[in-house]
Amino acid sequence: LIPVEVSRGIVQGMTEKSAVMRKMKTMRMSRHLKQIPVLNALPTAYWVTDPTGLKQTSEMDWRNVMLTAEELAVLIPIPDVILADADYDIWSEIRPKVEEAFGKALDEAVLFGINTPTSWGNSVKAAASAAGNTVTIGTGVDIAADMNNVLAAVEADGYGVSGIIMRQSLRASFRGLRSTTNEFVFKSGEVGAEAARFGSSGDAMTGSIFDVPALAIRNGSFEAENTASANAVAAIAGDWSQGIIAVRDDISVDFSKSAIIHDSNGAVQYNAWQQDLTIGRFVMRVAYATPNPVSRIRETTADRFPFATLLDAS
């Protein structure tokens, strides 16, 4: 059914299907917990104008951010008759869907707080809101002005914006922008206003807005956020190097012809032996954190976050 070596391959595929694995810093964990020391207070330098004056001291402070690896899993029942009669590579059909399922679940948890493990703390959406880094569509004169205000919120906290991710439907909003003389601002094959373009490259999912790399996410996580929330997040901009995704275990793959799958109430959903199924089990352990180190521009932790969100008006 599947090649022997699949774990690392699935993780590599997830990188293309998950926004956070594609944009954030990734690392390995050797244990369930990992501490990361984060700078929490900056030193102060003092002038010494008296030739015999005393030099003053200043302290630096660190705090620990904990990475906790949590389990992410999916079970896939496959009818045995399909395995027996298939004249194509079943694994090539299963693998991208597994990668997509893991990528979607990870993005939803990290970005929007959908089923986020408690040990991870606030999602990007919640932390950006707590820091006041939100902009509602329609606040500015057009969508470009709104996005510029999102970038400005990140920059005001002392970070540089390295990328933008956004809902698929937002692409049309940027493509439809027109100048005061009714010309399209983002022209296909040309650099638009303020060195910006979107949707003109060979891969129409990528582009740039105000010369910042932009990526439209198609794994359904933004749409899940839109369904679950009023004033849903339409786009996120920030310094993506500040976010950390740590993989404790690559995806383990097991198959069973006798497994029984229950729902949360104990009711049987699938009985592999009775229903002639092969049930695939895919499991990985992963952690997330955004350390949010101190910045000279914004030293108060509660007022600072390296991401900002663009929200729907309703």
Side-chain angles (χ1 to χ4, degrees):
L1 179 63
I2 62 172
V4 175
E5 296 294 332
V6 297
S7 297
R8 291 188 181 275
I10 295 178
V11 172
Q12 290 169 359
M14 275 185 64
T15 301
E16 291 302 313
K17 294 178 173 63
S18 163
V20 297
M21 287 198 72
R22 187 167 177 174
K23 305 291 286 185
M24 288 183 173
K25 182 188 300 180
T26 58
M27 64 172 59
R28 291 277 171 175
M29 297 175 67
S30 58
R31 297 182 180 179
H32 176 63
L33 299 174
K34 182 181 180 69
Q35 283 191 154
I36 301 176
V38 179
L39 190 61
N40 196 45
L42 297 169
T44 301
Y46 302 91
W47 292 105
V48 181
T49 56
D50 188 335
T52 60
L54 299 177
K55 297 175 178 64
Q56 299 186 52
T57 60
S58 180
E59 295 183 354
M60 294 177 65
D61 177 56
W62 285 263
R63 59 183 169 87
N64 285 322
V65 171
M66 186 69 71
L67 283 165
T68 304
E70 300 289 359
E71 191 172 87
L72 181 62
V74 63
L75 300 174
I76 301 180
I78 310 165
D80 289 342
V81 293
I82 292 180
L83 294 178
D85 296 342
D87 55 2
Y88 58 91
D89 184 2
I90 292 289
W91 175 242
S92 66
E93 296 288 320
I94 296 174
R95 173 174 164 170
K97 298 307 179 184
V98 172
E99 295 167 353
E100 188 176 82
F102 274 95
K104 180 176 185 289
L106 185 60
D107 284 357
E108 288 175 353
V110 170
L111 298 176
F112 309 121
I114 300 175
N115 299 320
T116 306
T118 304
S119 64
W120 289 4
N122 284 336
S123 65
V124 169
K125 172 186 176 180
S129 177
N133 291 358
T134 62
V135 175
T136 301
I137 293 176
T139 304
V141 295
D142 56 27
I143 190 70
D146 293 333
M147 182 60 77
N148 183 51
N149 289 333
V150 173
L151 305 186
V154 177
E155 293 163 347
D157 285 353
Y159 295 101
V161 179
S162 62
I164 299 166
I165 63 170
M166 62 191 196
R167 190 191 306 150
Q168 165 87 334
S169 60
L170 206 60
R171 295 171 58 215
S173 299
F174 283 97
R175 285 200 308 265
L177 281 174
R178 292 176 180 263
S179 67
T180 55
T181 55
N182 211 34
E183 296 177 332
F184 284 111
V185 174
F186 297 155
K187 300 178 182 179
S188 180
E190 296 182 17
V191 176
E194 300 296 332
R197 61 179 182 169
F198 196 80
S200 60
S201 62
D203 177 5
M205 296 303 101
T206 62
S208 62
I209 300 172
F210 300 119
D211 215 21
V212 176
L215 179 67
I217 304 302
R218 294 195 296 174
N219 64 10
S221 56
F222 270 95
E223 286 69 25
E225 152 71 3
N226 191 28
T227 300
S229 308
N231 305 109
V233 176
I236 300 173
D239 181 353
W240 292 92
S241 68
Q242 297 298 321
I244 298 173
I245 301 295
V247 177
R248 172 64 182 91
D249 293 324
D250 287 323
I251 296 177
S252 62
V253 182
D254 297 292
F255 288 89
S256 173
K257 296 180 69 65
S258 60
I260 297 175
I261 300 177
H262 301 265
D263 65 13
S264 59
N265 296 317
V268 174
Q269 301 295 300
Y270 297 96
N271 185 321
W273 178 255
Q274 186 177 28
Q275 296 178 267
D276 295 321
L277 300 171
T278 296
I279 297 178
R281 184 182 66 174
F282 302 82
V283 183
M284 75 179 299
R285 286 199 291 163
V286 63
Y288 156 74
T290 296
N292 196 18
V294 67
S295 153
R296 288 286 185 188
I297 294 178
R298 188 90 71 188
E299 295 195 23
T300 303
T301 300
D303 298 335
R304 181 187 68 246
F305 196 62
F307 298 96
T309 57
L310 180 65
L311 306 180
D312 288 336
S314 61

